[in-house]
Every structure is written in C-alpha cells, then in structure tokens.
DNA sequence: CATTTTGTTGAAAACGTTTCCAAGCTTAAC
DNA sequence: GTTAAGCTTGGAAACGTTTTCAACAAAATG
C-alpha cells in the first residue's frame, strides 16, 4: 500500500472546509455551493488526492467490486468464458477481479475468506471445484451474494447457471444415428460428477428412443483418469468387425483425445473406421494430440460469462427474490472426427 | 458485502475478554495465556467469525494482496504468463487478483485508482498498454510499488522485466541465413513501439554482420494495421523471381499470418517458395489461418510470469533498493514455415 | 416585520480492526 | 520482606472514510 498519501483531512484543511463537505464533493452530492465545490476540487487536484477504498468500503459496507473464482485461469478452455465476463463487467463499469484457485483446498479457502469479507460485494464460482458442501453452505448461511456456474448444487436454493448436458448428449448421439451408426458406445467419465451422469442419461435415453438395443458393454467406465480411455479404445479395436462399435460418444474432450490416439495406435483411423464425438473442444492434450479436428458439443461459454455478470449484479441490487436458475443449450460443432460408418460394417 | 456478520466486539463479549485480546488471538500473538486463547478460539468458532479485511487493511496499511493488470485476460497468448503467475503466487501464499483492462483509458484508470488505494500492496503491469507517461509517473510519484513487464519505460528508474528483442531477431535471421537465404526482407510493425524498433535493429545488425547488402525496399513498413501485410506480401510475389525475396522476417505473429495468407493467395506456398518467421506463436487469427505451424521466436512467458511475482514481493519487502531490470532471452521454435530456398532462386 | 421554509455547512459518531500504553498481577531477585 | 522485573490484560486512540444531525443563514411567505 502507498507510503504516504493525502487524506480527506488534508484536503479539508487545504480548502478550509470540513471533512463532510469534502466527502460531499467527492461523492457528487448536489447540496454544496458551486464556489465551495470548485475550491475543494482544486484542492483535490493540488494535493493529488484519491480516496482510500478500504476506508470507503468499511463505512459504506460496499466494496464496489466482484470476483470470479476459477480453478485455472490459464486454461484455454476458459478463454471464451473470461472474454464474456470481461465484456459483461465493462458494460456495467464494474471492478472485476479474477482469481485462480488451484487444486489446494487451503489456497481456495484463503481466497474465499479474503474476498468475501470486505473486499468484494459478490462472487461467481465456476465449476465442480466448489461443489463441496461446506463452502457453499457457509456462503449461503452468511448470506453473501454468489452465483454458481456449471456446478449443480442441489441441497440449497442457490443462484446457478447450468448447461443442458442431457440434451447436448441427445444431439450428439442423434448426429451419429443420422450418419447411419447403430453400434454406438459411450466412454463415460467420473460418475461422481453430475455432468457425466447427465451426459450418460442423454446417451441412454436417445439410444432407447431410437430403438437401439445395447448390451452392457456399450458403456465403458473410464473413471477419473482419462488416460484409461487409450487402452480401452485400443482393446476395443481388437474385436471382430461384426461386434466392433462404429462410433464412440465420450463424456469429454480429454477422453476423446485418448480414445482417438488409442484407435490410431491400434492401426485404425478416425473417422474412416470409427467416429468419435464428445463434449467440449480439445484444450488439454493439445500438444500430444495428432488427429483431426474434433466434432464436439460446444458450450456457449461467452454468453454464459457475459450473462453471469449481469445476473450477479441483479442479485446485488436485490432484484433476485427467487433463486436464479438458467440452463443454456449446447451446439453441435462439426469437425473431422465423425463420418458415416464403413460399408463393410453395416 | 455480507449482510450481517459477527465482529471482534461480538467475539470479545462472547468470550468475556477485551477487543485487544481477541485481536491478539486472531493474529497469533504469543503473549496470551493458553486458557484465554482457547476461550477466544471457541467463541470465534461459535460465532462463525471472520475478520473484515477492509478494516484490517485500513489500520494495518497493508492489504495482503497484489494485482496483475493485463489488457486482455482471455487471449491465449497470455496462458503461459498467467500460468507462471498462478504458480508464483501460490508458492508465496499470496492473494493474486487478475484484472483485465480492455482498451478504454477510462476503464483502466478506474481499475488503477481502485487497486492502488487500499486494495492491493503492489501491482504488475503487462505490456505497452501502460507505456503512457502519466500513469507510470503517477505511480512512481506516490511511491506505489509496481513492476513493468515488456514495457520499456525509459524516463524514470522503475522496476522492469524485458525480453531481449534484438537478440531474438538476430537468432531468427541467422536461422534463415543458415538455411541458405540471402534475400531476406523485414515486415516491420508499428515503429512507435519500442519492441518493433528493437526487432528491426536486430535484423539490420545481423544482416550487416553477414555482409548481406540490402536495398531500401528490404524493409516493409506494415504499421499498426497488420492486415496491410496481406496485400504487401501478395504484391511482393509479383516480382520477377530474381528480385523476389526468399524469406520474410516479421515483427509479430499477426503480421506473419497475414503475409503467409497473402503468399498463398498469390499462388505460392510456404515454406517451399518463401520462408516466413516471426516473434510469438500465432494466437490472434487462429480461426482464419490455414497454413503450416509457425517457426517463431518464443518468449519464456511462464518464467517471466513466475519470476515477476517473486520480484514484486522483493520490492514489497523493501529488498529492491536498486531498480530491478531483468532481460529474458528468447528461444527459436522450429515449425513448418521455414526451409532452404528453392534451387532456382539461388 | 415576524415567521416559516429552504439550502449549506460542520461536529461528531460510526464502520471494524490493530496497537500503544498503562495497569495489575505474578514471579524472581536481593 | 521489600523491590524490581516480567507477563498478561484492557482502555483508548488511531486508520480514512461516510452520514446523521443540528446549527445557521438566506430566502420566501404571510
């Protein structure tokens, strides 16, 4: 913090008025005579005065800023989200502070305690990092204004933004069906995450709706470690061509990247022999990955980012009596990993 | 900000001690008896008390946080830089606030006035956005701790981190020379930016050092609008093959992308007919660009990010009597836009 | 001209902390 | 057994604002 700065007191003395009057000028109150206002403004300039925002926040009980809490600010996955938030914040002339939580519980708790006690008026929490009950319950308990994105917290009535994972899965699977696929397997990520369950359900529902009968082995559980998808895919390609699936719908891009590499290393190619499709465009293994651009289910991250700021300001202004609950639809983005099945396989 | 929260006063009453004692417990002072300490800690838990950081910052004259000011947080160009800063901040258990300035002067000034008056202890300013004198002079004048990255502010002794642009240009040009090129032109960006001047000087120096005599037209001034490089490159390809350059060294990736597209649209190919080389890997026109991966001069952005946090903490701790002035070397990253010149052109 | 209304101003309290200083108590030293 | 030293504790001031309230002057009303 600054070494030595002018304060209202200094300005008051310099302009020969009271503290109250200086404060009034600073905050643009209308009940101060033009002559005195000018004198105060001159003094402010002369002393190079800026109000101390900590003192101001303390007495006004309002910090004039909000914060965004994300697991990793550097991930290119968040580019569009952040872009939307930047634009949303600028449109409202808000001080938006972006904070990167990391994996450590301790680090995250420190940030939250710092931000929610006098430094910001409200926060936006992105992603499953924050699904653990205690923190959400604490914020809800002390009535600190916050908004969850893509978190799906069920046990309390909190403000949240979600994407329609189940419907996204439907669109993805129907795309494969339209191409002519019938033997479509699902590579499913960590079932403890609600989004993976939703995507799985969307897959299941759509397969049933199209009368596609599947055996047990049509769902492969990848679990938390995406790299498992590599060997599972590779293994799968060993099946006789009658039994072999012609398409894979994956929970996310990490899994898809591993699956595609497994397929390629087994001597097959995508999409000629197998179509692969997933949620989100590839951002994680970009360096290692050498394959065609993904066909994927995209999230409207820019819009979510932009709107989230708007919703938070609504909450701060007290305009959100009912809990906000918005669901955003996904879009299928066509790339080079899906194609009609091979003739011989039909 | 929170609706209603316990304060030290409440804790003091609950534990039947004075404010001073509660404060001592919170701040881990050693001169408080175990029995009382326990009682206070119990009360803190019971009342769910957290200290108000605005009040704390006010009286301690220290905010326990730093901020990073960047033009655009969402640009993938900054991923590595941000990654380094995240790691650097976590290593020091610091509250790091990332702020996105945007283009508007007004917006940026608001952020700076907000952050530098009670909210943070120091800031890091990235890039030429901040080269305008007034802001730097103001911060320097009020002795607010700050560090410039890649800015090159000359008129005052301020702390800064730079990259060795001139040497990067040397390495780039020598790479082309080693491949056998002699007719190497320079596509130069906005000459008002110091980095472009440095890169230009590096080019000039290296060409001279290798006895490569160049006419005036070997330097093409692209200016502020990178898209101009498209038509200039296209035009250039119309020259008879004797006069036509076999390689282009560009100030930055934007210019290179435009140049390559110009060359391709003129019916030539990169690197077969012309080699192209620049500073920074492509991050701006990613969507439109369809060409080979760049050969480029890369900056050690991760290291710069990580170290910048460390340097700022040094400054905050008063360990930087002399102005910090660090220069980082670049690395040539080989890609698919450079190759030996065509036989016929030699 | 007396009285009310309106408009400007300053004194002082408040916001929630930390910290200086003095007071009280205990223990050690002589 | 007196005095000095060392701990622990609380009172009160301070940090830099905003805001309430009352005071006062000037203008408007009758």
């Amino acid at each position: 913090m600054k070494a030595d700065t002018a304060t209202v007191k200094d300005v008051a003395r310099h302009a020969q008025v009271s503290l109250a009057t200086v404060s009034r000028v600073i905050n643009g109150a209308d009940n101060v005579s033009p002559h005195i206002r000018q004198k105060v403004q001159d003094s402010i300039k002369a002393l190079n005065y800026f109000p101390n925002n900590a003192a101001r926040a303390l007495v006004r009980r309002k910090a004039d800023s909000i914060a965004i809490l994300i697991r990793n600010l550097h991930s290119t996955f968040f580019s569009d989200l952040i872009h939307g938030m930047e634009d949303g914040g600028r449109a409202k002339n808000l001080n938006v502070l972006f904070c990167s939580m990391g994996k450590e519980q301790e680090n995250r708790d420190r940030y939250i305690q710092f931000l929610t006690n006098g430094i910001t008026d409200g926060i936006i929490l992105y992603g499953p990092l924050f699904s653990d009950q205690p923190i959400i319950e604490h914020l809800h308990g002390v009535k600190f204004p916050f908004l969850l994105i893509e978190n799906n917290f069920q046990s309390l009535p909190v403000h949240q933004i979600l994407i329609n994972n189940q419907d996204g899965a439907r669109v993805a699977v129907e795309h494969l069906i339209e191409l002519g696929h019938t033997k479509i397997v699902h590579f499913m990520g960590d079932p403890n995450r609600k989004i993976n369950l939703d995507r799985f359900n969307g897959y299941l529902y759509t397969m049933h709706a199209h009368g596609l009968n599947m055996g047990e082995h049509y769902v492969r559980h990848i679990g938390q470690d995406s790299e498992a998808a590599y060997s599972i895919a590779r293994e799968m390609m060993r099946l006789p061509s009658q039994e072999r699936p012609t398409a894979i719908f994956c929970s996310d891009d990490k899994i898809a990247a591993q699956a595609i590499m497994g397929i390629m290393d087994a001597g097959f190619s995508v999409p000629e022999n197998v179509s692969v499709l997933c949620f989100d465009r590839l951002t994680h293994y970009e360096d290692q990955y050498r394959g065609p651009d993904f066909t994927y289910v995209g999230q409207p991250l820019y819009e979510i980012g932009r709107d989230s700021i708007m919703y938070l300001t609504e909450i701060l202004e007290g305009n959100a009596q009912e809990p906000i609950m918005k669901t955003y639809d996904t879009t299928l983005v066509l790339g080079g990993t899906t194609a009609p099945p091979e003739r011989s396989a039909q």
Side-chain angles (χ1 to χ4, degrees), chain A:
Chain A
M1 216 179 289
K2 220 169 297 182
D4 36 39
T5 321
T7 71
V8 253
K9 210 178 279 184
D10 299 320
V11 176
R13 198 177 318 127
H14 188 273
Q16 307 189 67
V17 295
S18 71
L19 302 186
T21 303
V22 176
S23 178
R24 276 191 276 262
V25 172
I26 293 168
N27 295 292
D30 54 346
N31 53 348
V32 41
S33 70
H35 172 236
I36 296 234
R37 155 165 287 124
Q38 189 57 51
K39 216 165 55 164
V40 171
Q41 277 166 344
D42 290 349
S43 296
I44 288 178
K45 270 250 167 63
L47 298 178
N48 198 20
Y49 168 78
F50 288 93
N52 179 306
N53 292 301
R56 187 179 267 205
L58 180 59
V59 58
R60 301 204 333 207
R61 328 187 105 240
K62 192 161 175 324
D64 279 332
S65 71
I66 64 173
I68 315 293
L69 279 60
I70 300 186
R71 162 92 170 254
N72 275 316
L73 218 41
H74 72 265
S75 167
T76 55
F77 176 74
F78 293 121
S79 291
D80 288 342
L81 182 81
I82 291 170
H83 200 173
M85 288 169 162
E86 290 172 333
D87 289 351
R90 281 172 206 149
K92 296 246 172 203
N93 271 334
L94 260 130
N95 292 314
V96 183
L97 311 175
F98 290 89
C99 298
S100 182
M101 300 291 97
K103 299 181 217 177
E104 312 298 334
Q105 169 100 14
E106 190 191 356
N107 192 60
R108 175 182 30 143
D109 292 352
R110 179 171 47 76
Y111 263 108
I112 293 190
Q113 129 39 36
F114 176 72
L115 294 168
T116 61
N117 287 95
I119 306 299
T120 60
D121 298 325
I123 60 179
I124 296 176
L125 304 168
Y126 185 97
L129 172 62
F130 302 98
S131 19
D132 19 4
Q133 303 265 347
I135 289 204
I136 310 281
E137 277 168 7
H138 170 253
L139 292 175
H140 184 264
V142 301
K143 293 190 186 135
F144 187 87
F146 69 103
L147 170 67
L148 300 180
I149 303 182
E150 191 60 353
N151 186 318
N152 212 309
F153 191 82
Q154 310 267 16
S155 53
L156 286 172
V158 297
H159 304 291
Q160 41 187 328
I161 290 180
L162 296 168
I163 62 162
N164 199 336
N165 283 297
Q166 184 159 345
D167 190 66
R170 177 188 63 77
V171 172
V173 174
E174 285 186 346
H175 168 63
L176 293 171
I177 292 172
E178 272 166 30
L179 286 172
H181 293 275
T182 54
K183 290 184 282 184
I184 305 168
V185 306
H186 180 41
F187 275 26
M188 183 181 181
D190 185 0
N192 292 316
R193 293 185 54 189
K194 180 73 162 53
I195 56 170
N196 290 331
L197 285 179
D198 288 346
R199 292 167 187 183
F200 166 69
N201 283 329
Y203 162 79
L204 219 58
Y205 176 87
T206 312
M207 292 294 274
H208 274 292
H210 287 78
L212 293 174
N213 201 5
M214 310 154 299
E216 270 299 308
H217 62 288
Y218 268 61
V219 176
R220 306 293 172 95
H221 294 270
I222 307 300
Q224 294 189 16
D225 180 17
S226 314
E227 294 187 19
Y230 176 86
S231 45
I232 291 177
R234 200 162 174 169
E235 198 71 24
M236 201 181 77
M237 298 312 289
R238 294 236 184 87
L239 291 170
S241 70
Q242 321 297 6
E243 298 173 36
R244 195 190 310 141
T246 62
I248 309 175
F249 166 60
C250 305
S251 286
D252 62 48
D253 56 321
K254 285 190 188 188
I255 294 176
Q258 293 292 339
I260 291 172
M261 291 191 284
I263 293 166
M264 288 164 69
D265 288 358
F268 294 84
S269 61
V270 176
E272 287 75 9
N273 305 117
V274 188
S275 286
V276 179
L277 186 52
C278 64
F279 265 76
D280 299 332
R281 73 161 194 266
L282 186 62
T283 48
H284 297 90
Y285 298 120
E286 268 171 348
D287 291 344
Q288 293 101 312
Y289 181 72
R290 288 284 169 260
D293 285 351
F294 279 22
T295 296
Y296 66 93
V297 178
Q299 309 183 23
L301 287 171
Y302 178 86
E303 288 76 13
I304 290 177
R306 192 193 51 200
D307 296 352
S308 66
I309 301 275
M310 190 195 68
Y311 290 130
L312 184 59
T313 58
E314 290 292 313
I315 296 168
L316 292 178
E317 288 165 6
N319 300 334
Q321 299 305 331
E322 298 295 305
I324 290 171
M325 167 64 91
K326 302 283 173 187
T327 307
Y328 284 72
D329 280 332
T330 57
T331 341
L332 186 70
V333 180
L334 297 175
T337 55
T338 53
E342 293 176 281
R343 289 278 155 70
S344 62
Q346 281 179 318

